[in-house]
Each structure stands twice: as structure tokens, then as C-alpha cells.
Amino acid sequence: MFAKLVAVSLLTLASSQLMAAECKTTIDSTDQMSFNTKAIEIDKSCKTFTVELTHSGNLPKNVMGHNWVLSKEADMQPIATAGLAAGIEKSYLPEGDARVIAHTKIIGAKETDSVTFDVSKLDANEKYGFFCSFPGHISMMKGTVTLK
């Protein structure tokens, strides 16, 4: 009887861990101006969500730098355009831009950076996207973010 109880307890514990939401993701960026994903789904049960950005390429950040920026889909291109004047020191993002929900810094080859943001800032009825704000990269380096 005791062995059965222990087995059931262990199974219950294991299944509850499997059902827990994954509240983080790792995204890789490359010298070919690409992210390894085009879509991120965030479970509504997550209080915060973390994105770790990696750069598996060989080029330095001043040549092929990448960052990860989250905003409403409609704000993506305007933010990227406004960021051109900000320069690499400010990760090509306008300082204090309220349209930017979260972002990493610009990284180069073999570097990583991460950002954690409050999921309650997202509205399930809104369309969100992510992109790289390095000049010209948004055309190829972008994707969607949805609450599920």
C-alpha cells in the first residue's frame, strides 16, 4: 500500500511539472541576418517571460549586431526607423520610447543577452511582434508574439 501511495505521489508530481508553463525561450541570431524562430507563444499563466538572445555567428556587433525588440506589430517599423538616429550605443532604439515593451541590447558573435518582462503588459486582443532594430535587419528578422 505504501509503495502504491509513493508511486502515485511521484506520478502526480511529475505530471504537474510537465504541465507547468515554460515562461522563457532562447532565440539564436546569425550572420545570415536571421532568427531561428518566427513565432513565440507565451502562456497566459506566466507572470513574467524571459527571452535569451544568442548570436551564433562570427561577425562583431558593429558589422552584424542583433537585438530582440518586442512591440505591437503596428509599431515595429516606426520604432526601427526612429532607432536609426539613436545609433549602436543605444541599440538602435529611441531612448524612452513607450512603444518598446521589452528589448535586449545589441550583441555580436558568441555573445548573449536576455530580457524579462511583465506578461500583464500584453493584451490578448492585441497583435505583437518581435524584431531586430539593427539598420535594415527588420526586413528579415521579425516574428509574432501571441498569448495562448
Side-chain angles (χ1 to χ4, degrees):
M1 179 68 175
F2 179 72
K4 236 184 216 180
L5 186 60
V6 169
V8 169
S9 295
L10 288 173
L11 280 173
T12 304
L13 179 64
S15 64
S16 68
Q17 287 176 338
L18 288 175
M19 293 171 57
E22 185 67 33
C23 297
K24 68 178 200 164
T25 190
T26 299
I27 297 179
D28 185 49
S29 57
T30 70
D31 287 345
Q32 286 72 44
M33 245 172 55
S34 66
F35 287 131
N36 68 341
T37 188
K38 296 281 184 203
I40 296 172
E41 289 187 345
I42 300 174
D43 194 290
K44 290 178 185 170
S45 69
C46 293
K47 299 265 187 258
T48 61
F49 194 82
T50 301
V51 173
E52 180 184 39
L53 178 66
T54 61
H55 191 313
S56 62
N58 296 308
L59 296 172
K61 68 181 176 185
N62 64 322
V63 176
M64 189 57 66
H66 303 304
N67 63 351
W68 183 90
V69 182
L70 171 64
S71 71
K72 292 180 180 177
E73 275 189 359
D75 292 334
M76 291 167 54
Q77 187 61 58
I79 292 168
T81 301
L84 292 174
I88 196 168
E89 311 78 36
K90 294 189 172 121
S91 292
Y92 295 106
L93 291 169
E95 206 163 354
D97 191 329
R99 300 172 297 180
V100 175
I101 298 166
H103 70 89
T104 65
K105 67 182 182 188
I106 294 274
I107 61 171
K110 311 302 181 239
E111 294 180 325
T112 64
D113 192 32
S114 65
V115 62
T116 300
F117 58 92
D118 184 349
V119 175
S120 70
K121 290 181 176 181
L122 305 181
D123 177 351
N125 299 315
E126 185 65 60
K127 291 185 179 206
Y128 296 96
F130 65 90
F131 63 98
C132 174
S133 66
F134 195 95
H137 289 196
I138 191 172
S139 64
M140 294 174 62
M141 298 184 75
K142 60 186 171 187
T144 60
V145 176
T146 53
L147 283 176
K148 60 175 182 135

